[in-house]
Amino acid sequence: QVQLVESGGGLVKAGDSLRLSCAASGRSLSVVGWFRQAPGKEREFLAGMGITWRPGNTFSSDSMAGRFTIFRDGAKNTINLQVESMQPEDTAVYYCAAVTFYSGVYNLKTEIPYDAWGQGTQVTVSS
């Protein structure tokens, strides 16, 4: 069984940068991704990284204009999301998710292939 725990959320000011971390335990993972869900909106994909599937390969949302960077901290064994120039519209619950075995069928920029989720961490951006 996979456990994912997010950390690093909180209250930030517009223009600040923020780093979120995802610690995974349990079985090995094919892919780890970051999503977010703003109030009243659907959950959306931000960025992902291959772990056992295409190790180190990263991919991001086409619409996020390069503000989101996913990277691995080998020393802490976490998958992190760096967000630059945060804006009030970035206020959301941010989730770490994992694909335990990726068959290659479904689009990794959608929720469909992700079968393990963290509880989420709230990020609030003040203007």
Side-chain angles (χ1 to χ4, degrees), residues 40-105:
K41 296 187 177 181
E42 294 186 351
R43 192 152 51 186
E44 61 179 341
F45 170 79
L46 300 174
M49 171 179 279
I51 306 300
T52 60
W53 174 82
R54 299 183 183 178
N57 177 59
T58 61
F59 47 97
S60 58
S61 167
D62 297 334
S63 63
M64 292 301 169
R67 294 193 301 118
F68 297 83
T69 302
I70 188 170
F71 64 98
R72 189 170 192 173
D73 184 332
K76 297 180 180 180
N77 197 28
T78 56
I79 304 296
N80 302 328
L81 182 72
Q82 179 77 20
V83 187
E84 305 294 341
S85 187
M86 297 204 72
Q87 300 301 316
E89 52 267 32
D90 292 320
T91 294
V93 178
Y94 286 71
Y95 295 92
C96 175
V99 180
T100 53
F101 177 75
Y102 184 52
S103 64
V105 173

Tab-separated table of all heavy atoms in Angstrom, residues 40-105:
chain	number	residue	atom	x	y	z
A	40	GLY	N	-14.616	25.429	-5.641
A	40	GLY	CA	-15.607	25.482	-6.700
A	40	GLY	C	-15.123	25.040	-8.064
A	40	GLY	O	-15.852	25.151	-9.050
A	41	LYS	N	-13.904	24.538	-8.142
A	41	LYS	CA	-13.354	24.113	-9.435
A	41	LYS	C	-12.956	22.642	-9.394
A	41	LYS	O	-12.801	22.046	-8.336
A	41	LYS	CB	-12.150	24.975	-9.798
A	41	LYS	CG	-12.483	26.445	-10.022
A	41	LYS	CD	-11.281	27.200	-10.546
A	41	LYS	CE	-11.629	28.653	-10.832
A	41	LYS	NZ	-10.455	29.408	-11.362
A	42	GLU	N	-12.750	22.090	-10.575
A	42	GLU	CA	-12.302	20.708	-10.670
A	42	GLU	C	-10.801	20.625	-10.358
A	42	GLU	O	-10.062	21.597	-10.513
A	42	GLU	CB	-12.576	20.164	-12.076
A	42	GLU	CG	-14.045	20.044	-12.415
A	42	GLU	CD	-14.286	19.375	-13.759
A	42	GLU	OE1	-13.305	19.159	-14.489
A	42	GLU	OE2	-15.445	19.080	-14.059
A	43	ARG	N	-10.395	19.464	-9.946
A	43	ARG	CA	-8.982	19.249	-9.696
A	43	ARG	C	-8.221	19.272	-11.016
A	43	ARG	O	-8.686	18.707	-12.013
A	43	ARG	CB	-8.789	17.910	-8.980
A	43	ARG	CG	-7.418	17.714	-8.409
A	43	ARG	CD	-7.421	16.783	-7.197
A	43	ARG	NE	-8.103	15.525	-7.428
A	43	ARG	CZ	-8.326	14.624	-6.476
A	43	ARG	NH1	-7.925	14.858	-5.234
A	43	ARG	NH2	-8.960	13.509	-6.766
A	44	GLU	N	-7.069	19.934	-11.019
A	44	GLU	CA	-6.314	20.074	-12.253
A	44	GLU	C	-4.873	19.604	-12.067
A	44	GLU	O	-4.282	19.746	-11.002
A	44	GLU	CB	-6.323	21.527	-12.748
A	44	GLU	CG	-5.700	22.526	-11.807
A	44	GLU	CD	-5.717	23.941	-12.360
A	44	GLU	OE1	-5.873	24.124	-13.589
A	44	GLU	OE2	-5.574	24.884	-11.566
A	45	PHE	N	-4.323	19.067	-13.126
A	45	PHE	CA	-2.945	18.574	-13.140
A	45	PHE	C	-1.974	19.734	-13.248
A	45	PHE	O	-2.212	20.702	-13.974
A	45	PHE	CB	-2.759	17.631	-14.336
A	45	PHE	CG	-1.332	17.246	-14.584
A	45	PHE	CD1	-0.724	16.265	-13.815
A	45	PHE	CD2	-0.596	17.875	-15.586
A	45	PHE	CE1	0.601	15.929	-14.044
A	45	PHE	CE2	0.718	17.523	-15.822
A	45	PHE	CZ	1.318	16.557	-15.051
A	46	LEU	N	-0.838	19.617	-12.527
A	46	LEU	CA	0.189	20.644	-12.563
A	46	LEU	C	1.488	20.124	-13.186
A	46	LEU	O	2.007	20.692	-14.138
A	46	LEU	CB	0.468	21.158	-11.156
A	46	LEU	CG	-0.720	21.785	-10.429
A	46	LEU	CD1	-0.333	22.117	-8.995
A	46	LEU	CD2	-1.224	23.015	-11.160
A	47	ALA	N	2.033	19.061	-12.618
A	47	ALA	CA	3.313	18.538	-13.095
A	47	ALA	C	3.491	17.108	-12.609
A	47	ALA	O	2.893	16.708	-11.622
A	47	ALA	CB	4.465	19.404	-12.587
A	48	GLY	N	4.318	16.362	-13.325
A	48	GLY	CA	4.566	14.973	-12.945
A	48	GLY	C	5.991	14.550	-13.247
A	48	GLY	O	6.717	15.228	-13.991
A	49	MET	N	6.384	13.439	-12.641
A	49	MET	CA	7.734	12.911	-12.833
A	49	MET	C	7.706	11.395	-12.862
A	49	MET	O	7.042	10.769	-12.027
A	49	MET	CB	8.652	13.384	-11.700
A	49	MET	CG	10.022	12.718	-11.691
A	49	MET	SD	11.092	13.298	-10.371
A	49	MET	CE	11.687	14.827	-11.089
A	50	GLY	N	8.442	10.817	-13.800
A	50	GLY	CA	8.585	9.379	-13.839
A	50	GLY	C	9.510	8.892	-12.743
A	50	GLY	O	10.572	9.481	-12.524
A	51	ILE	N	9.132	7.811	-12.063
A	51	ILE	CA	9.960	7.246	-11.014
A	51	ILE	C	10.557	5.924	-11.520
A	51	ILE	O	11.757	5.853	-11.779
A	51	ILE	CB	9.158	7.014	-9.721
A	51	ILE	CG1	8.459	8.315	-9.286
A	51	ILE	CG2	10.084	6.498	-8.604
A	51	ILE	CD1	9.375	9.467	-9.007
A	52	THR	N	9.762	4.891	-11.688
A	52	THR	CA	10.248	3.665	-12.324
A	52	THR	C	9.902	3.638	-13.808
A	52	THR	O	10.513	2.909	-14.571
A	52	THR	CB	9.676	2.410	-11.638
A	52	THR	OG1	8.248	2.442	-11.729
A	52	THR	CG2	10.085	2.349	-10.180
A	53	TRP	N	8.907	4.389	-14.206
A	53	TRP	CA	8.570	4.568	-15.623
A	53	TRP	C	9.326	5.785	-16.122
A	53	TRP	O	9.151	6.874	-15.623
A	53	TRP	CB	7.057	4.780	-15.768
A	53	TRP	CG	6.615	5.119	-17.161
A	53	TRP	CD1	6.385	4.255	-18.183
A	53	TRP	CD2	6.351	6.426	-17.683
A	53	TRP	NE1	6.000	4.948	-19.303
A	53	TRP	CE2	5.961	6.275	-19.030
A	53	TRP	CE3	6.412	7.713	-17.133
A	53	TRP	CZ2	5.632	7.354	-19.846
A	53	TRP	CZ3	6.089	8.798	-17.948
A	53	TRP	CH2	5.705	8.610	-19.293
A	54	ARG	N	10.220	5.609	-17.059
A	54	ARG	CA	11.024	6.719	-17.588
A	54	ARG	C	11.594	7.574	-16.436
A	54	ARG	O	11.256	8.751	-16.308
A	54	ARG	CB	10.220	7.579	-18.556
A	54	ARG	CG	9.727	6.814	-19.769
A	54	ARG	CD	9.002	7.691	-20.763
A	54	ARG	NE	8.478	6.904	-21.888
A	54	ARG	CZ	7.763	7.406	-22.883
A	54	ARG	NH1	7.482	8.693	-22.900
A	54	ARG	NH2	7.331	6.633	-23.832
A	55	PRO	N	12.446	6.988	-15.608
A	55	PRO	CA	12.956	7.679	-14.423
A	55	PRO	C	13.515	9.066	-14.697
A	55	PRO	O	14.336	9.240	-15.595
A	55	PRO	CB	14.054	6.737	-13.920
A	55	PRO	CG	13.652	5.393	-14.415
A	55	PRO	CD	13.013	5.648	-15.774
A	56	GLY	N	13.028	10.038	-13.929
A	56	GLY	CA	13.501	11.405	-14.061
A	56	GLY	C	12.803	12.232	-15.115
A	56	GLY	O	12.978	13.454	-15.154
A	57	ASN	N	12.030	11.598	-15.963
A	57	ASN	CA	11.313	12.345	-16.989
A	57	ASN	C	10.252	13.208	-16.327
A	57	ASN	O	9.500	12.731	-15.481
A	57	ASN	CB	10.653	11.389	-17.975
A	57	ASN	CG	9.840	12.116	-19.028
A	57	ASN	OD1	10.377	12.942	-19.761
A	57	ASN	ND2	8.552	11.843	-19.109
A	58	THR	N	10.207	14.504	-16.668
A	58	THR	CA	9.202	15.393	-16.103
A	58	THR	C	8.277	15.905	-17.193
A	58	THR	O	8.664	16.012	-18.368
A	58	THR	CB	9.843	16.593	-15.383
A	58	THR	OG1	10.611	17.351	-16.317
A	58	THR	CG2	10.744	16.130	-14.243
A	59	PHE	N	7.079	16.227	-16.810
A	59	PHE	CA	6.088	16.755	-17.739
A	59	PHE	C	5.160	17.668	-16.957
A	59	PHE	O	4.941	17.462	-15.757
A	59	PHE	CB	5.320	15.617	-18.427
A	59	PHE	CG	4.839	14.555	-17.493
A	59	PHE	CD1	3.534	14.587	-17.010
A	59	PHE	CD2	5.679	13.529	-17.071
A	59	PHE	CE1	3.089	13.612	-16.137
A	59	PHE	CE2	5.240	12.548	-16.200
A	59	PHE	CZ	3.933	12.597	-15.727
A	60	SER	N	4.652	18.682	-17.599
A	60	SER	CA	3.835	19.664	-16.890
A	60	SER	C	2.619	20.049	-17.701
A	60	SER	O	2.530	19.754	-18.899
A	60	SER	CB	4.672	20.898	-16.567
A	60	SER	OG	5.196	21.467	-17.758
A	61	SER	N	1.727	20.734	-17.015
A	61	SER	CA	0.512	21.203	-17.660
A	61	SER	C	0.851	22.202	-18.757
A	61	SER	O	1.713	23.056	-18.585
A	61	SER	CB	-0.388	21.853	-16.620
A	61	SER	OG	-1.419	22.574	-17.242
A	62	ASP	N	0.152	22.085	-19.854
A	62	ASP	CA	0.389	22.995	-20.985
A	62	ASP	C	-0.031	24.419	-20.659
A	62	ASP	O	0.441	25.366	-21.285
A	62	ASP	CB	-0.371	22.510	-22.216
A	62	ASP	CG	0.117	21.157	-22.693
A	62	ASP	OD1	1.284	20.824	-22.429
A	62	ASP	OD2	-0.669	20.426	-23.310
A	63	SER	N	-0.900	24.592	-19.676
A	63	SER	CA	-1.474	25.907	-19.426
A	63	SER	C	-0.842	26.654	-18.260
A	63	SER	O	-1.262	27.759	-17.936
A	63	SER	CB	-2.975	25.775	-19.176
A	63	SER	OG	-3.197	24.999	-18.011
A	64	MET	N	0.198	26.078	-17.623
A	64	MET	CA	0.722	26.678	-16.406
A	64	MET	C	1.903	27.610	-16.629
A	64	MET	O	2.524	28.067	-15.671
A	64	MET	CB	1.099	25.580	-15.404
A	64	MET	CG	-0.110	24.848	-14.884
A	64	MET	SD	-1.260	25.986	-14.060
A	64	MET	CE	-2.686	24.938	-13.858
A	65	ALA	N	2.245	27.865	-17.854
A	65	ALA	CA	3.207	28.907	-18.219
A	65	ALA	C	4.545	28.800	-17.502
A	65	ALA	O	5.191	29.811	-17.244
A	65	ALA	CB	2.590	30.283	-17.986
A	66	GLY	N	4.982	27.603	-17.181
A	66	GLY	CA	6.318	27.408	-16.648
A	66	GLY	C	6.533	27.831	-15.216
A	66	GLY	O	7.675	27.874	-14.753
A	67	ARG	N	5.485	28.151	-14.467
A	67	ARG	CA	5.664	28.563	-13.074
A	67	ARG	C	5.801	27.388	-12.125
A	67	ARG	O	6.159	27.579	-10.962
A	67	ARG	CB	4.493	29.443	-12.630
A	67	ARG	CG	4.423	30.778	-13.338
A	67	ARG	CD	3.452	31.703	-12.628
A	67	ARG	NE	2.107	31.158	-12.552
A	67	ARG	CZ	1.476	30.886	-11.410
A	67	ARG	NH1	2.057	31.093	-10.240
A	67	ARG	NH2	0.240	30.406	-11.442
A	68	PHE	N	5.511	26.195	-12.592
A	68	PHE	CA	5.528	25.017	-11.736
A	68	PHE	C	6.660	24.093	-12.167
A	68	PHE	O	6.732	23.715	-13.337
A	68	PHE	CB	4.193	24.272	-11.832
A	68	PHE	CG	3.027	25.072	-11.351
A	68	PHE	CD1	2.398	25.989	-12.171
A	68	PHE	CD2	2.558	24.922	-10.056
A	68	PHE	CE1	1.331	26.743	-11.725
A	68	PHE	CE2	1.479	25.669	-9.601
A	68	PHE	CZ	0.861	26.575	-10.435
A	69	THR	N	7.511	23.736	-11.219
A	69	THR	CA	8.632	22.848	-11.500
A	69	THR	C	8.604	21.692	-10.525
A	69	THR	O	8.531	21.892	-9.315
A	69	THR	CB	9.969	23.596	-11.365
A	69	THR	OG1	9.981	24.720	-12.260
A	69	THR	CG2	11.129	22.674	-11.713
A	70	ILE	N	8.670	20.480	-11.051
A	70	ILE	CA	8.707	19.290	-10.199
A	70	ILE	C	10.132	18.765	-10.191
A	70	ILE	O	10.813	18.723	-11.213
A	70	ILE	CB	7.696	18.230	-10.695
A	70	ILE	CG1	7.594	17.076	-9.692
A	70	ILE	CG2	8.048	17.737	-12.091
A	70	ILE	CD1	6.439	16.119	-9.998
A	71	PHE	N	10.600	18.367	-9.016
A	71	PHE	CA	11.953	17.833	-8.926
A	71	PHE	C	12.032	16.905	-7.715
A	71	PHE	O	11.211	16.973	-6.811
A	71	PHE	CB	13.000	18.946	-8.827
A	71	PHE	CG	12.906	19.779	-7.595
A	71	PHE	CD1	13.726	19.532	-6.493
A	71	PHE	CD2	12.007	20.835	-7.510
A	71	PHE	CE1	13.642	20.305	-5.357
A	71	PHE	CE2	11.911	21.608	-6.372
A	71	PHE	CZ	12.733	21.345	-5.287
A	72	ARG	N	13.076	16.064	-7.748
A	72	ARG	CA	13.247	15.079	-6.690
A	72	ARG	C	14.379	15.507	-5.769
A	72	ARG	O	15.437	15.929	-6.233
A	72	ARG	CB	13.555	13.712	-7.294
A	72	ARG	CG	13.551	12.563	-6.292
A	72	ARG	CD	13.614	11.244	-7.018
A	72	ARG	NE	13.338	10.136	-6.117
A	72	ARG	CZ	13.202	8.872	-6.515
A	72	ARG	NH1	13.307	8.567	-7.792
A	72	ARG	NH2	12.949	7.927	-5.649
A	73	ASP	N	14.130	15.386	-4.475
A	73	ASP	CA	15.176	15.615	-3.484
A	73	ASP	C	15.649	14.248	-3.014
A	73	ASP	O	14.994	13.597	-2.217
A	73	ASP	CB	14.628	16.450	-2.320
A	73	ASP	CG	15.700	16.810	-1.308
A	73	ASP	OD1	16.687	16.053	-1.174
A	73	ASP	OD2	15.562	17.839	-0.639
A	74	GLY	N	16.777	13.809	-3.540
A	74	GLY	CA	17.269	12.473	-3.229
A	74	GLY	C	17.628	12.301	-1.771
A	74	GLY	O	17.437	11.227	-1.201
A	75	ALA	N	18.144	13.356	-1.164
A	75	ALA	CA	18.554	13.266	0.229
A	75	ALA	C	17.361	13.049	1.143
A	75	ALA	O	17.431	12.301	2.121
A	75	ALA	CB	19.305	14.529	0.630
A	76	LYS	N	16.250	13.715	0.836
A	76	LYS	CA	15.051	13.603	1.666
A	76	LYS	C	14.046	12.609	1.098
A	76	LYS	O	13.023	12.343	1.723
A	76	LYS	CB	14.391	14.981	1.807
A	76	LYS	CG	15.257	16.010	2.506
A	76	LYS	CD	14.535	17.343	2.613
A	76	LYS	CE	15.406	18.366	3.322
A	76	LYS	NZ	14.730	19.681	3.433
A	77	ASN	N	14.349	12.083	-0.081
A	77	ASN	CA	13.449	11.137	-0.748
A	77	ASN	C	12.045	11.699	-0.897
A	77	ASN	O	11.048	11.048	-0.537
A	77	ASN	CB	13.408	9.804	0.002
A	77	ASN	CG	12.833	8.683	-0.858
A	77	ASN	OD1	12.948	8.723	-2.088
A	77	ASN	ND2	12.223	7.699	-0.228
A	78	THR	N	11.984	12.916	-1.407
A	78	THR	CA	10.694	13.548	-1.634
A	78	THR	C	10.606	14.011	-3.087
A	78	THR	O	11.633	14.233	-3.751
A	78	THR	CB	10.482	14.757	-0.721
A	78	THR	OG1	11.561	15.699	-0.903
A	78	THR	CG2	10.430	14.342	0.742
A	79	ILE	N	9.376	14.151	-3.563
A	79	ILE	CA	9.108	14.739	-4.866
A	79	ILE	C	8.501	16.104	-4.597
A	79	ILE	O	7.425	16.187	-3.987
A	79	ILE	CB	8.142	13.889	-5.706
A	79	ILE	CG1	8.680	12.469	-5.849
A	79	ILE	CG2	7.932	14.534	-7.072
A	79	ILE	CD1	9.984	12.364	-6.590
A	80	ASN	N	9.176	17.145	-5.039
A	80	ASN	CA	8.790	18.497	-4.663
A	80	ASN	C	8.199	19.267	-5.834
A	80	ASN	O	8.497	18.979	-6.998
A	80	ASN	CB	10.014	19.248	-4.145
A	80	ASN	CG	10.646	18.558	-2.960
A	80	ASN	OD1	9.972	17.915	-2.164
A	80	ASN	ND2	11.959	18.676	-2.841
A	81	LEU	N	7.378	20.234	-5.496
A	81	LEU	CA	6.798	21.135	-6.482
A	81	LEU	C	7.185	22.562	-6.100
A	81	LEU	O	6.839	23.021	-5.021
A	81	LEU	CB	5.272	21.002	-6.520
A	81	LEU	CG	4.578	21.883	-7.560
A	81	LEU	CD1	4.848	21.339	-8.971
A	81	LEU	CD2	3.082	21.947	-7.292
A	82	GLN	N	7.914	23.207	-6.971
A	82	GLN	CA	8.296	24.600	-6.776
A	82	GLN	C	7.344	25.475	-7.588
A	82	GLN	O	7.166	25.236	-8.787
A	82	GLN	CB	9.739	24.830	-7.235
A	82	GLN	CG	10.240	26.252	-7.093
A	82	GLN	CD	10.608	26.619	-5.672
A	82	GLN	OE1	10.838	25.756	-4.836
A	82	GLN	NE2	10.679	27.919	-5.395
A	83	VAL	N	6.734	26.450	-6.920
A	83	VAL	CA	5.808	27.345	-7.600
A	83	VAL	C	6.353	28.767	-7.490
A	83	VAL	O	6.633	29.241	-6.393
A	83	VAL	CB	4.397	27.284	-6.987
A	83	VAL	CG1	3.431	28.103	-7.827
A	83	VAL	CG2	3.922	25.849	-6.869
A	84	GLU	N	6.502	29.420	-8.612
A	84	GLU	CA	7.044	30.778	-8.648
A	84	GLU	C	5.922	31.797	-8.814
A	84	GLU	O	4.880	31.505	-9.391
A	84	GLU	CB	8.039	30.907	-9.803
A	84	GLU	CG	9.166	29.898	-9.791
A	84	GLU	CD	10.104	30.066	-8.611
A	84	GLU	OE1	10.113	31.157	-7.996
A	84	GLU	OE2	10.849	29.100	-8.315
A	85	SER	N	6.188	33.002	-8.278
A	85	SER	CA	5.296	34.138	-8.495
A	85	SER	C	3.830	33.779	-8.229
A	85	SER	O	2.982	33.881	-9.128
A	85	SER	CB	5.466	34.653	-9.932
A	85	SER	OG	4.737	35.846	-10.117
A	86	MET	N	3.564	33.367	-7.014
A	86	MET	CA	2.203	32.916	-6.681
A	86	MET	C	1.236	34.088	-6.714
A	86	MET	O	1.575	35.221	-6.360
A	86	MET	CB	2.210	32.245	-5.321
A	86	MET	CG	3.073	31.003	-5.312
A	86	MET	SD	2.631	29.838	-4.042
A	86	MET	CE	1.102	29.174	-4.663
A	87	GLN	N	0.011	33.778	-7.120
A	87	GLN	CA	-1.054	34.757	-7.232
A	87	GLN	C	-2.268	34.277	-6.449
A	87	GLN	O	-2.395	33.080	-6.174
A	87	GLN	CB	-1.415	34.979	-8.697
A	87	GLN	CG	-0.252	35.493	-9.549
A	87	GLN	CD	0.292	36.824	-9.040
A	87	GLN	OE1	-0.466	37.742	-8.691
A	87	GLN	NE2	1.621	36.934	-8.977
A	88	PRO	N	-3.183	35.180	-6.090
A	88	PRO	CA	-4.367	34.747	-5.330
A	88	PRO	C	-5.138	33.618	-6.005
A	88	PRO	O	-5.706	32.766	-5.325
A	88	PRO	CB	-5.200	36.033	-5.251
A	88	PRO	CG	-4.182	37.126	-5.241
A	88	PRO	CD	-3.104	36.650	-6.189
A	89	GLU	N	-5.125	33.570	-7.330
A	89	GLU	CA	-5.834	32.505	-8.024
A	89	GLU	C	-5.143	31.146	-7.885
A	89	GLU	O	-5.677	30.122	-8.310
A	89	GLU	CB	-6.020	32.838	-9.506
A	89	GLU	CG	-4.757	33.228	-10.232
A	89	GLU	CD	-4.530	34.732	-10.254
A	89	GLU	OE1	-4.930	35.424	-9.284
A	89	GLU	OE2	-3.954	35.213	-11.249
A	90	ASP	N	-3.958	31.134	-7.298
A	90	ASP	CA	-3.278	29.868	-7.004
A	90	ASP	C	-3.749	29.265	-5.678
A	90	ASP	O	-3.308	28.165	-5.305
A	90	ASP	CB	-1.758	30.073	-6.936
A	90	ASP	CG	-1.150	30.417	-8.289
A	90	ASP	OD1	-1.577	29.827	-9.296
A	90	ASP	OD2	-0.255	31.284	-8.328
A	91	THR	N	-4.612	29.975	-4.980
A	91	THR	CA	-5.173	29.439	-3.734
A	91	THR	C	-5.939	28.154	-4.033
A	91	THR	O	-6.841	28.131	-4.864
A	91	THR	CB	-6.106	30.475	-3.089
A	91	THR	OG1	-5.327	31.596	-2.676
A	91	THR	CG2	-6.826	29.879	-1.892
A	92	ALA	N	-5.552	27.085	-3.344
A	92	ALA	CA	-6.130	25.774	-3.618
A	92	ALA	C	-5.587	24.766	-2.620
A	92	ALA	O	-4.645	25.057	-1.867
A	92	ALA	CB	-5.791	25.323	-5.045
A	93	VAL	N	-6.177	23.588	-2.650
A	93	VAL	CA	-5.587	22.442	-1.965
A	93	VAL	C	-4.699	21.734	-2.987
A	93	VAL	O	-5.152	21.413	-4.090
A	93	VAL	CB	-6.656	21.485	-1.421
A	93	VAL	CG1	-5.989	20.276	-0.757
A	93	VAL	CG2	-7.559	22.201	-0.432
A	94	TYR	N	-3.451	21.529	-2.624
A	94	TYR	CA	-2.483	20.896	-3.517
A	94	TYR	C	-2.298	19.440	-3.107
A	94	TYR	O	-2.068	19.143	-1.927
A	94	TYR	CB	-1.161	21.655	-3.477
A	94	TYR	CG	-1.228	22.962	-4.224
A	94	TYR	CD1	-1.962	24.042	-3.735
A	94	TYR	CD2	-0.568	23.135	-5.436
A	94	TYR	CE1	-2.050	25.238	-4.423
A	94	TYR	CE2	-0.633	24.337	-6.143
A	94	TYR	CZ	-1.387	25.378	-5.622
A	94	TYR	OH	-1.468	26.566	-6.321
A	95	TYR	N	-2.393	18.557	-4.090
A	95	TYR	CA	-2.329	17.116	-3.841
A	95	TYR	C	-1.138	16.480	-4.558
A	95	TYR	O	-0.831	16.810	-5.709
A	95	TYR	CB	-3.589	16.430	-4.366
A	95	TYR	CG	-4.867	16.822	-3.673
A	95	TYR	CD1	-5.651	17.862	-4.159
A	95	TYR	CD2	-5.308	16.133	-2.540
A	95	TYR	CE1	-6.834	18.226	-3.538
A	95	TYR	CE2	-6.495	16.482	-1.911
A	95	TYR	CZ	-7.246	17.525	-2.416
A	95	TYR	OH	-8.427	17.870	-1.788
A	96	CYS	N	-0.556	15.539	-3.865
A	96	CYS	CA	0.423	14.641	-4.471
A	96	CYS	C	-0.309	13.342	-4.810
A	96	CYS	O	-1.127	12.866	-4.020
A	96	CYS	CB	1.548	14.385	-3.473
A	96	CYS	SG	2.764	13.182	-3.989
A	97	ALA	N	-0.017	12.794	-5.970
A	97	ALA	CA	-0.674	11.555	-6.392
A	97	ALA	C	0.350	10.647	-7.060
A	97	ALA	O	1.380	11.116	-7.549
A	97	ALA	CB	-1.812	11.860	-7.359
A	98	ALA	N	0.043	9.368	-7.083
A	98	ALA	CA	0.979	8.409	-7.662
A	98	ALA	C	0.275	7.377	-8.528
A	98	ALA	O	-0.878	7.023	-8.273
A	98	ALA	CB	1.768	7.696	-6.556
A	99	VAL	N	0.978	6.938	-9.536
A	99	VAL	CA	0.574	5.805	-10.358
A	99	VAL	C	1.428	4.635	-9.909
A	99	VAL	O	2.656	4.678	-10.043
A	99	VAL	CB	0.811	6.084	-11.856
A	99	VAL	CG1	0.376	4.892	-12.697
A	99	VAL	CG2	0.105	7.358	-12.286
A	100	THR	N	0.824	3.613	-9.353
A	100	THR	CA	1.626	2.499	-8.839
A	100	THR	C	2.169	1.628	-9.962
A	100	THR	O	3.270	1.103	-9.861
A	100	THR	CB	0.816	1.647	-7.857
A	100	THR	OG1	-0.404	1.250	-8.491
A	100	THR	CG2	0.498	2.431	-6.604
A	101	PHE	N	1.405	1.470	-11.026
A	101	PHE	CA	1.904	0.779	-12.208
A	101	PHE	C	1.307	1.437	-13.435
A	101	PHE	O	0.094	1.419	-13.629
A	101	PHE	CB	1.559	-0.709	-12.209
A	101	PHE	CG	2.005	-1.403	-13.465
A	101	PHE	CD1	3.346	-1.704	-13.661
A	101	PHE	CD2	1.110	-1.714	-14.481
A	101	PHE	CE1	3.784	-2.303	-14.829
A	101	PHE	CE2	1.540	-2.319	-15.654
A	101	PHE	CZ	2.866	-2.610	-15.828
A	102	TYR	N	2.167	2.012	-14.260
A	102	TYR	CA	1.665	2.722	-15.437
A	102	TYR	C	1.723	1.811	-16.658
A	102	TYR	O	2.779	1.338	-17.054
A	102	TYR	CB	2.480	3.980	-15.697
A	102	TYR	CG	1.941	4.816	-16.843
A	102	TYR	CD1	0.602	5.190	-16.875
A	102	TYR	CD2	2.765	5.221	-17.886
A	102	TYR	CE1	0.099	5.949	-17.913
A	102	TYR	CE2	2.272	5.982	-18.928
A	102	TYR	CZ	0.933	6.341	-18.942
A	102	TYR	OH	0.443	7.096	-19.978
A	103	SER	N	0.543	1.596	-17.260
A	103	SER	CA	0.439	0.712	-18.418
A	103	SER	C	0.717	1.438	-19.723
A	103	SER	O	0.848	0.808	-20.771
A	103	SER	CB	-0.958	0.104	-18.469
A	103	SER	OG	-1.920	1.138	-18.673
A	104	GLY	N	0.729	2.778	-19.664
A	104	GLY	CA	0.939	3.548	-20.880
A	104	GLY	C	-0.328	3.881	-21.624
A	104	GLY	O	-0.279	4.498	-22.690
A	105	VAL	N	-1.471	3.485	-21.078
A	105	VAL	CA	-2.736	3.675	-21.795
A	105	VAL	C	-3.298	5.077	-21.584
A	105	VAL	O	-3.691	5.755	-22.530
A	105	VAL	CB	-3.767	2.610	-21.352
A	105	VAL	CG1	-5.137	2.900	-21.961
A	105	VAL	CG2	-3.273	1.229	-21.741
